[in-house]
Amino acid sequence: MASTLTRCVAIALLGLLVLASAWPAQAGTTSAFTLSPQSYSGSRERQYKVYVPDGLVTPAPMVMALHGCQQTHDDVLRDWGLTAAADRFGFILVAPFITSYDGLRNTNCWGFWLDQHRHQGRGEPEDLHQIGRQVEARFGIDPRRRYVTGLSSGAAMAVVLSVTHNEYFAAAASASGLPYGEDAASVSFSGCPGNASFHAVNQVVADMRRERNASDPIPLLVLQNNQDCTVIQPAGRNLRDAQLQLNGGAARDTPAEALAQQRPCTPVNGPDYGCQQSFYTVDAQPGSRSLVETVFYNGPAATPDPADTDHGHYWIGGQAGRDGKWALQRGPSYPDIVWDFFSRHAADTTSPPPPPPPPPPPPSCTSVVAAPGAHVGAGRATYGGLFGMRAISTGDMRDIGFAWDYFFTRVALHQGAGGRWFVQPPAGCG
């Protein structure tokens, strides 16, 4: 009897360790929030998560990372290696989820090609801007170091934000993204080697000039797999060339005139795929402020995840990343390369200060009774404790039970200000 009990306990512990290994170890706290629909056109409710490293010194940089099609913000947090980068480099990571959308599009795509979603003051770009401002209202953010990156449609939306809100973000990084103003024909759906059509670069530049409301020439990092069959290589070159024509002036508006340095990409996790990073600067001198930088490489088409299309279209998370949906671990480490770029490009201090962020919305006083695992799945609680095995309420950070308990325990959580959830009803709620 005793030996049978011992075996059962051992099996249970092994199962817990397997479950714990399925979620990456974190040295910080992930909290879930919701942006309520705003009054401007095209606004919708947007869920988002914020990862804050333990012991973070504030005001800290903010990096907003936008998922691609058929992904969510949880894929970003789990697979992209950015939470580990936030721990190492000391920034707050914001991962929005598109949540819902209009128009005909693939699952969870950001609507970068739709006119209602590529202008300031409306639609998805303004919702993302408002998410950034909500984060600033809750956490200590350095206003000179607000950055945005993304993959695929998320990268294209990051490019949109670099135009529509270039007075807000200090720099942007596009991984397999597209130039501003492109339409749906710029994405290839024909398999490899891919087929797409693009706007002329001078049209892209004209569209960017019409949209941006400040002359701040924020730098752009372009990460592009030359073997990508979904967003094919001309997109990367067009992003580079448009950025140079927009911000380089007569003396630095071509790659030949602005190129300051080219070097192998670093760091890499395993193969480098012939990766080269090129620096195009304001005076064509190494070490000067960049107009645009490119990371071009010849990566594999296939990925380990069976859900992928094997079109060479992915984020490379490096040593701390994971093989996941449209995500690789091995290759040039995007988190390190992106952060190195961001760390060298704070906002121009001569720009006027941004308007103050709005106050958090008042508490909704909603209560939900559910199992701890259901609260985690709905974003009302986060993983915490040893091996991430406990469910922690997002508001008062209370332990509400075993994170994988979906059936045996029921716990009441109460929504407070800013969309956070509390064990006790927050002030202002009866």
Side-chain angles (χ1 to χ4, degrees):
M1 179 70 176
S3 61
T4 301
L5 179 60
T6 300
R7 284 196 299 272
C8 290
V9 170
I11 292 170
L13 288 174
L14 179 61
L16 290 176
L17 289 173
V18 170
L19 285 171
S21 67
W23 194 265
Q26 297 179 351
T29 301
T30 302
S31 302
F33 303 97
T34 300
L35 175 76
S36 300
Q38 306 295 297
S39 59
Y40 47 80
S41 172
S43 180
R44 288 172 175 250
E45 179 180 289
R46 309 284 178 195
Q47 299 169 15
Y48 63 99
K49 293 186 177 181
V50 180
Y51 178 76
V52 181
D54 287 345
L56 183 70
V57 176
T58 57
M62 177 183 75
V63 175
M64 181 179 289
L66 305 178
H67 63 79
C69 300
Q70 301 187 52
Q71 292 180 319
T72 72
H73 51 349
D74 288 326
D75 296 309
V76 172
L77 294 172
R78 183 184 60 244
D79 299 338
W80 288 18
L82 286 173
T83 54
D87 291 334
R88 292 199 313 275
F89 302 124
F91 61 81
I92 291 175
L93 176 62
V94 182
F97 177 38
I98 192 169
T99 313
S100 67
Y101 41 88
D102 58 359
L104 181 63
R105 54 177 102 178
N106 205 340
T107 305
N108 291 348
C109 286
W110 298 95
F112 66 90
W113 70 96
L114 300 170
D115 187 70
Q116 64 266 34
H117 297 302
R118 55 190 187 196
H119 300 288
Q120 186 175 31
R122 52 180 152 142
E124 293 164 17
E126 191 59 40
D127 281 351
L128 291 168
H129 174 223
Q130 293 303 320
I131 286 173
R133 296 184 70 183
Q134 278 195 3
V135 172
E136 289 189 272
R138 297 185 179 103
F139 304 96
I141 302 297
D142 183 345
R144 296 181 61 245
R145 296 187 293 168
R146 297 180 293 230
Y147 306 106
V148 61
T149 186
L151 171 69
S152 191
S153 70
M157 186 54 69
V159 171
V160 169
L161 287 170
S162 76
V163 178
T164 61
H165 294 86
N166 63 312
E167 77 290 347
Y168 182 78
F169 291 101
S174 164
S176 301
L178 291 154
Y180 179 78
E182 284 291 359
D183 51 40
S186 61
V187 179
S188 174
F189 299 99
S190 62
C192 289
N195 181 51
S197 61
F198 300 96
H199 296 171
V201 171
N202 59 359
Q203 178 184 340
V204 173
V205 174
D207 290 342
M208 294 167 77
R209 285 200 173 110
R210 276 193 296 269
E211 176 60 28
R212 69 176 185 175
N213 61 359
S215 60
D216 304 307
I218 76 169
L220 177 68
L221 174 65
V222 181
L223 304 110
Q224 177 71 42
N225 180 6
N226 296 325
Q227 308 303 317
D228 193 324
C229 305
T230 300
V231 174
I232 60 177
Q233 168 51 258
R237 292 194 294 268
N238 286 0
L239 278 165
R240 175 199 64 192
D241 295 350
Q243 191 78 359
L244 290 173
Q245 288 189 28
L246 181 69
N247 296 320
R252 301 284 180 261
D253 62 356
T254 68
E257 293 170 330
L259 181 63
Q261 182 184 7
Q262 190 174 68
R263 71 184 187 195
C265 300
T266 184
V268 297
N269 180 39
D272 67 2
Y273 304 129
C275 185
Q276 291 288 312
Q277 184 168 1
S278 300
F279 300 75
Y280 302 89
T281 66
V282 293
D283 56 6
Q285 296 299 312
S288 296
R289 185 174 178 84
S290 292
L291 297 165
V292 63
E293 296 178 18
T294 60
V295 172
F296 292 163
Y297 61 94
N298 297 303
T303 64
D305 194 290
D308 284 1
T309 52
D310 290 342
H311 286 175
H313 188 69
Y314 39 70
W315 177 279
I316 301 179
Q319 189 171 10
R322 292 188 359 150
D323 292 330
K325 291 190 295 183
W326 290 274
L328 280 182
Q329 185 183 47
R330 290 167 57 80
S333 179
Y334 281 17
D336 296 275
I337 294 170
V338 168
W339 177 251
D340 172 71
F341 171 74
F342 285 161
S343 69
R344 292 183 279 109
H345 294 100
D348 186 349
T349 56
T350 62
S351 300
S364 68
C365 300
T366 300
S367 297
V368 175
V369 178
H375 282 308
V376 172
R380 295 183 290 269
T382 62
Y383 295 99
L386 183 64
F387 300 121
M389 303 293 290
R390 307 299 295 178
I392 309 296
S393 59
T394 60
D396 48 9
M397 307 304 294
R398 297 277 295 276
D399 187 328
I400 62 171
F402 183 50
W404 280 274
D405 175 3
Y406 290 90
F407 307 104
F408 303 108
T409 307
R410 295 181 67 78
V411 180
L413 289 182
H414 311 276
Q415 189 174 31
R420 291 176 289 177
W421 293 82
F422 299 79
V423 172
Q424 296 295 326
C429 296

